[in-house]
Amino acid sequence: MLATYHLRHALAIVLTAASFSAADDLSDDLTARRARLMERLGAETMLVVTSAPPRRYSLDIDYEYRQDSNLYYLTGIAQEGTSLLLLPGNTERREILFVKDQDPAQEHWRGRLLTRAEATARSGIQTVLSSTQFDDVVAAMLSRRAAGGITEKDATVFFDALGAGRARVALTLDTARPGEPLTPTQERARQLRDRFVGFQAIDATPLLTDLRLIKTPYEQRVLRKATDISADAQIAGMRTARPGVYEYEVKAAIEAVHRGRGALSWAYPSIVGSGPNATILHYPASDRKMTAGDLLLVDAACNYEYMSPDITRTYPISGTFTNEQKALYGIVLRAQDEALRVATVGRSLADVHDKAAEVIKDGLLKLGLVTDTSGNQYRMWFTHGATHYIGIDVHDVGDNRRPMQAGMAFVIEPGIYIRQSALDALPRTPENAALIEKLQPMVRKYEGIGVRVEDSFLLDAQGPQRLSAAVPRTISEIEAFMRQRPSTSTGR
Ligand SMILES: [Mn+2]
């Protein structure tokens, strides 16, 4: 097994150099993804997946378009108005893609649309029809009529299943959220159930989640590239940060690298929080001028070709950690290191989180920031989970309790955030009053320090690979990097 792995690994490197991002490479991978999904859907099922709607920014301006993750996973098409039908039981046409018609007037305003040949070349789907035919073809299939080049003979298995009342229509229904309006897909399912009979509407999301959890070799290459760009961007941020510089200048330096290296955008809005802002988990503003002695917490990564890694670094902008900063940073770093040892095949992300939490609890106890490690006291200072999957979505789909397998991609991101307000918010019980009295001196000592360390990992046959290893991480690496930077703003 090991020898085979090495051979395949070596071959993959050669292929990467020769054909990375070549269209046939992507279309082959997409074709294989759909084949795996069709096998799980079964012959008596029809899958329907549609695009994300455009979102209004203000008046006649939209937000930058973001394709639906599942549609992108199955087609590689980021163009709005795209839909996919899969009919695994068909003998001829099992895959039909629907794309917007070309329209010179529209394209003059909004940019060119894919030709059908281009849609085929990218997705590997041979049958490409107009998006205006989509509803009619779905209706025909559910009425046992030929349409879109699918003959009655071709669709015999699905039509017979409809006739017998055991067909299934799979849609990405997700979880219905109580009190919230139906999503467009849930609304579509309701309409189909009202109009047609002989089938049950099922949720395709769990099947897609299973597939998306294990990254294909193609996805692994894109994720590596996305992480390389994100790591370079973090390093550009470290070069820019110094006393007198605004947080937004660091953010701009980071995002310039994302866009300058061909990423679509950020994977999530960049978090650049200095001083006390480092204790705000999703600090959005970035308008503070940094001063000597600040720690800067930067949680930023790019969306490159619909792959979203996730990296956080926390560093002293003057180049040297204070003793208090070093004490908290050391705990977080140790939590990540020890949690990483648990990140092996067969263990789960929940186990990895638990290990990180254990190390943080012990560290906080030693510093006098908790008095007891048996309960949830540490939750005052470590307020989030330490792990999540990454992929097309930065918080990618999948259950954290699942045993890990090769091909899974994830982060480990422990953090400690010391805020007086966490103590002040405790209900005023006698026990809490005693606790507050004990903790208060230490909270004062560490007040306003926020630390998070996060790396993106890919689990392969040899164990977890730290994809974001290029960014300085240990105290000595960070201090050496910050001291060796150019001393003027020319490094920006
Ligand atoms: Mn994260």
Side-chain angles (χ1 to χ4, degrees), residues 11-25 221:
L11 192 64
I13 289 164
V14 173
L15 285 174
T16 304
S19 61
F20 177 53
S21 89
D24 56 346
D25 213 8
R221 292 203 295 277

Side-chain angles (χ1 to χ4, degrees), residues 284-413:
S286 304
D287 55 4
R288 181 176 174 274
K289 191 194 253 186
M290 294 181 277
T291 55
D294 283 349
L295 272 189
L296 176 65
L297 186 154
V298 177
D299 186 344
C302 70
N303 168 4
Y304 176 78
E305 303 250 322
Y306 281 76
M307 267 294 160
S308 296
D310 198 348
I311 308 176
T312 306
R313 286 294 183 270
T314 307
Y315 45 91
I317 58 158
S318 316
T320 313
F321 287 90
T322 65
N323 287 338
E324 288 76 19
Q325 292 166 352
K326 203 180 267 184
L328 294 182
Y329 194 90
I331 297 169
V332 171
L333 201 63
R334 197 159 64 246
Q336 200 203 36
D337 286 340
E338 293 201 22
L340 178 58
R341 288 201 213 114
V342 181
T344 53
V345 171
R347 303 298 292 273
S348 71
L349 286 189
D351 296 335
V352 177
H353 167 89
D354 289 346
K355 187 65 184 177
E358 188 189 309
V359 174
I360 285 180
K361 276 191 242 184
D362 289 346
L364 290 172
L365 184 70
K366 285 195 187 105
L367 294 188
L369 283 161
V370 297
T371 58
D372 174 17
T373 55
S374 66
N376 280 330
Q377 245 186 53
Y378 75 103
R379 278 287 179 197
M380 279 192 291
W381 317 124
F382 172 36
T383 42
H384 55 77
T387 53
H388 57 80
Y389 298 110
I390 49 173
I392 294 184
D393 283 286
V394 66
H395 295 164
D396 210 35
V397 292
D399 184 343
N400 270 12
R401 286 161 303 182
R402 215 177 145 119
M404 293 210 276
Q405 285 170 255
M408 286 185 176
F410 59 91
V411 303
I412 307 178
E413 54 168 334

Side-chain angles (χ1 to χ4, degrees), residues 68-111:
D68 175 78
S69 294
N70 288 316
L71 186 75
Y72 192 86
Y73 181 78
L74 294 171
T75 67
I77 306 271
Q79 182 171 293
E80 66 176 272
T82 304
S83 305
L84 174 70
L85 268 196
L86 295 180
L87 284 146
N90 284 12
T91 50
E92 305 284 332
R93 296 198 165 184
R94 303 166 78 212
E95 310 178 328
I96 305 184
L97 185 69
F98 298 84
V99 297
K100 278 187 163 181
D101 290 321
Q102 292 197 283
D103 174 346
Q106 275 296 311
E107 291 179 54
H108 169 56
W109 282 93
R110 302 171 60 106

Side-chain angles (χ1 to χ4, degrees), residues 48-61:
V48 180
V49 184
T50 54
S51 285
R55 314 262 178 203
R56 182 69 47 84
Y57 173 72
S58 182
L59 294 182
D60 59 347
I61 305 296

